[in-house]
Amino acid sequence: MKTAKINKLLNKIEDLKLELENTMDDILNEREEKFDDRSEKWQESEKADEFTELSDEIESIKDDALFSIEEAISRIEEITEL
């Protein structure tokens, strides 16, 4: 059975997960807007490819971090049920 402290901790972790997701989404949206605001010539350039690769890497990092947080939450919940 979960204790009040564990529940409080899990709530904080959930809040941090949401904050991380929102912040990373904001960063990615800003990058997308910046890309769209650039000229068509720039969008077809090597710099644009590098820009897109970095955006993809940021997305991957976000996904990995969120997965890890979810996994940690699940493990904590499993432990508290023992």
Side-chain angles (χ1 to χ4, degrees):
M1 176 153 281
K2 296 179 192 173
T3 66
K5 283 186 176 183
I6 296 292
N7 281 333
K8 190 173 180 179
L9 175 64
L10 288 171
N11 287 334
K12 286 181 180 181
I13 293 171
E14 284 285 349
D15 290 345
L16 288 171
K17 182 187 117 197
L18 184 59
E19 184 177 348
L20 172 69
E21 184 173 23
N22 290 337
T23 300
M24 296 295 280
D25 284 343
D26 288 347
I27 291 168
L28 290 165
N29 289 335
E30 287 175 19
R31 291 183 66 79
E32 187 175 333
E33 288 175 15
K34 188 174 183 178
F35 183 90
D36 291 343
D37 289 345
R38 298 288 181 116
S39 69
E40 187 175 326
K41 182 179 178 181
W42 183 87
Q43 290 178 359
E44 296 171 358
S45 72
E46 188 175 314
K47 290 261 187 206
D49 291 340
E50 292 170 4
F51 188 90
T52 301
E53 286 175 19
L54 182 56
S55 293
D56 291 344
E57 188 174 334
I58 292 169
E59 180 77 37
S60 178
I61 290 168
K62 179 190 95 167
D63 292 343
D64 290 347
L66 294 175
F67 178 80
S68 295
I69 293 168
E70 280 296 324
E71 188 174 318
I73 290 169
S74 292
R75 295 179 84 187
I76 292 168
E77 290 174 338
E78 286 172 11
I79 289 169
T80 59
E81 291 173 2
L82 296 177

